Amino acid sequence: MKVLFASSEIYPLAKTGGLADVAGALPQALRQGGCDVRLLMPAYRGIAAQAEARAVANLGDPFGRGDAEILEGRLPGCDLPLWLLDNPALFDRDGGPYQTAAGADWPDNDVRFALLSWAAARLSQPGSPLGWQPDILHCHDWQTGLAPAYLKAWGGPAPATVFTIHNMAYQGNFASDLVPRLGLPWELYTLDGFEFWGHLSFLKAGLALADRLTTVSPTYAQEIQSAPNGFGMEGLLSWRGRELSGILNGADYTIWDPSVDSHLPRRYGLEDFTEGKAANKAALQAELGLPQRAGAPLLIVISRLSDQKGMDLLLGIMPAVLGLGCQLALLGTGDRRLEDAFRGLAESHGDQVAVRIGYSEDLAHRMQAGADMLLMPSRFEPCGLTQIYALRYGTLPVVHRTGGLADTVVDSTYDSMLHTQATGFVFDQSLASAFQWTIERAAALIRNPEQWRRIQATAMRMAFGWDKAAAAYTDLYRALRPHAG
Ligand code: ADP
Ligand code: GLC
């Protein structure tokens, strides 16, 4: 089974969130299951050198922004074949994959990701200059949503297409005059094509025109078929409900496991996690300039600071959280107002709050190891990887019961504790009061070390490896291309 995997970010080359982790790890698991997977992503600045990539094909200049070249290399750290879409005018610049360093969307994101979609479609067709044609083109999120549209528009033999939804909130909706400029036919600018409220929607193109749809947890697959989590596309998604499935993401335990994690001052496992976490906690407190209080519950947030993540709820209850004697360490970047509010909190409560605005893979690992609890009060969460990592580190997640959070964390109730199933703390309503009460509940339970340790041990034993998801995706590919092997 030959699979072309197209994504706008892939760990470790480019990452803004969980999509990169998925696009870096799932293909490796698919390959172990026997699939021939190749990756396609843009050649953002500096990436070609890291991937040791060299030019192998020129696809021409479809949108008048210069030639699209394909560079061939390998994903660092593993052997996966990688193709980089090189177009210096569109991708070789300082800043992030989607935004300037100051946090504004790149004004030409429409053309940038239309080109990624176009290249994915072009490389999937017979006669591809790479001499390799996939049986399946697997696209991810709006940045690759137009690929099924190009294949439909061009007609002729094509691979089957799978479109995975990582987040319905990001849709790539642009002015409709782009349709001809991107070489797309007006015939597809319809209700059952890529038209969405008078705009060209890249996300809707994927949702309407791919052969199969998946999303990253079973609960989210249900939630997006109605408002508000369908973000206006719930009608289309419920209409395609039979072709939509929820496959829970996994964790790459070669990267996210405290017994092998090279970022930690002290590694630990199931046998010695109490001492191991205590050492990591003391080191983290020192690193962040917090008082080294072993008994103060240390709560962490590692997150994009966006409306999705419910950080306004956390700000609202901070007086109560501080009143409980907890410490908070936050690592995040995003919404300027949230960044400022958390910075302000760290300034006024330096003995209990440490805030790092920015992105640090290293610190994220050390925080997972040193903390007692991870806070994820997300309004919606397609899957969420941070809480899955936290479980493995014995850091108990406090989460809103939504999407993948609902599918991965078991609330500590009398019953679940009795049956050794509890792994964290879950609240049902997306309300500050519910969140506060749940943190209070957790802060009370941590005073019972024996019970807390039992929950930690259960959490650490949870196995969310990628093998299960890879098997589910492989079954899906086989159902679409039964003769491909
Ligand atoms: P999302 O994809 O919605 O951002 P996930 O929980 O699926 O949420 O994935 C988030 C990923 O990004 C995790 O690997 C997490 O460690 C990482 N991450 C998020 N913010 C930061 C940050 N500021 N610094 C380092 N890593 C971060
Ligand atoms: C998105 C979602 C997150 C999910 C990730 C990887 O960014 O917000 O919940 O874990 O994609 O699928």
Side-chain angles (χ1 to χ4, degrees):
M1 182 70 67
K2 290 184 285 181
V3 183
L4 179 61
F5 217 83
S7 174
S8 55
E9 49 183 278
I10 304 180
Y11 179 88
L13 294 173
K15 170 167 166 177
T16 70
L19 170 59
D21 288 359
V22 173
L26 172 58
Q28 297 185 52
L30 287 167
R31 193 171 54 163
Q32 272 156 22
C35 292
D36 173 8
V37 190
R38 319 244 171 143
L39 304 173
L40 174 69
M41 72 176 286
Y44 303 117
R45 174 160 289 178
I47 282 182
Q50 287 177 61
E52 296 176 4
R54 279 179 300 136
V56 289
N58 187 319
L59 302 182
D61 179 9
F63 308 139
R65 299 293 180 95
D67 279 3
E69 279 206 276
I70 298 296
L71 317 180
E72 187 169 86
R74 300 264 153 188
L75 190 66
C78 71
D79 238 12
L80 276 179
L82 169 77
W83 285 313
L84 296 175
L85 170 62
D86 191 29
N87 178 303
L90 296 179
F91 299 121
D92 184 18
R93 46 178 84 162
D94 285 331
Y98 319 120
Q99 296 188 327
T100 65
D105 284 353
W106 292 113
D108 54 356
N109 274 345
D110 45 7
V111 182
R112 297 171 78 230
F113 295 108
L115 190 70
L116 177 62
S117 300
W118 179 89
R122 180 73 191 80
L123 297 179
S124 300
Q125 278 194 313
S128 153
L130 300 177
W132 179 90
Q133 273 139 42
D135 303 300
I136 304 286
L137 170 60
H138 192 158
C139 298
H140 298 266
D141 273 357
W142 73 266
Q143 293 88 347
T144 53
L146 287 184
Y150 282 114
L151 289 173
K152 178 127 311 181
W154 297 338
T161 50
V162 176
F163 183 78
T164 295
I165 304 156
H166 296 264
N167 200 322
M168 287 299 301
Y170 301 101
Q171 306 191 332
N173 300 333
F174 300 101
S176 59
D177 60 5
L178 269 176
V179 171
R181 287 203 281 135
L182 297 179
L184 293 162
W186 284 112
E187 291 75 63
L188 291 177
Y189 186 72
T190 56
L191 201 63
D192 51 6
F194 44 57
E195 188 273 343
F196 185 62
W197 296 102
H199 286 73
L200 161 63
S201 172
F202 285 35
L203 177 64
K204 194 174 169 209
L207 300 183
L209 302 170
D211 295 315
R212 283 295 300 261
L213 307 177
T214 73
T215 188
V216 288
S217 70
T219 295
Y220 195 60
Q222 293 308 313
E223 289 172 344
I224 57 179
Q225 296 183 48
S226 50
N229 284 334
F231 281 88
M233 308 229 186
E234 53 274 5
L236 170 59
L237 288 166
S238 64
W239 183 64
R240 296 208 67 188
R242 286 160 151 294
E243 294 143 337
L244 164 67
S245 47
I247 301 176
L248 191 70
N249 281 336
D252 184 341
Y253 291 130
T254 66
I255 299 174
W256 293 100
D257 185 307
S259 63
V260 298
D261 191 334
S262 56
H263 301 285
L264 308 188
R266 169 155 171 197
R267 293 181 205 172
Y268 60 93
L270 261 176
E271 347 53 70
D272 61 347
F273 65 85
T274 302
E275 310 80 61
K277 284 192 72 70
N280 279 288
K281 180 171 178 177
L284 180 64
Q285 287 167 325
E287 176 178 356
L288 296 176
L290 289 168
Q292 284 182 308
R293 290 190 203 124
L298 176 50
L299 321 183
I300 55 162
V301 171
I302 303 166
S303 184
R304 293 184 292 112
L305 299 179
S306 71
D307 190 50
Q308 169 190 349
K309 302 291 180 178
M311 287 298 127
D312 50 321
L313 299 185
L314 176 59
L315 278 172
I317 65 166
M318 275 313 291
V321 172
L322 297 175
L324 291 169
C326 297
Q327 296 179 335
L328 174 78
L330 177 140
L331 168 63
T333 167
D335 186 319
R336 292 292 176 267
R337 277 167 311 153
L338 289 170
E339 290 182 352
D340 291 344
F342 280 109
R343 264 201 209 99
L345 204 64
E347 274 160 28
S348 56
H349 296 84
D351 57 333
Q352 279 180 283
V353 180
V355 168
R356 294 290 179 273
I357 299 300
Y359 193 91
S360 167
E361 202 70 34
D362 291 9
L363 180 56
H365 284 253
R366 290 195 292 277
M367 286 173 65
Q368 289 279 14
D372 296 299
M373 302 172 213
L374 170 93
L375 307 181
M376 265 179 108
S378 310
R379 292 207 158 71
F380 65 93
E381 195 60 74
C383 178
L385 295 171
T386 322
Q387 85 284 4
I388 298 181
Y389 303 152
L391 291 168
R392 182 51 65 103
Y393 284 74
T395 296
L396 303 189
V398 179
V399 305
H400 175 214
R401 195 186 307 280
T402 184
L405 299 174
D407 293 338
T408 52
V409 182
V410 179
D411 188 33
S412 300
T413 61
Y414 177 77
D415 246 21
S416 66
M417 288 194 280
L418 194 67
H419 295 106
T420 329
Q421 287 165 342
T423 60
F425 303 87
V426 187
F427 57 98
D428 287 289
Q429 304 270 344
S430 178
L431 294 172
S433 53
F435 185 30
Q436 178 181 327
W437 183 67
T438 308
I439 293 180
E440 286 167 1
R441 197 153 59 86
L445 200 66
I446 204 171
R447 282 191 234 113
N448 178 344
E450 198 186 324
Q451 187 60 261
W452 191 266
R453 275 198 288 274
R454 266 166 61 117
I455 303 175
Q456 285 179 300
T458 311
M460 291 177 72
R461 280 198 193 94
M462 297 296 292
F464 291 104
W466 271 108
D467 42 335
K468 233 163 123 187
Y473 283 109
T474 308
D475 285 350
L476 189 102
Y477 299 156
R478 284 215 188 93
L480 284 165
R481 282 287 181 271
H483 305 298

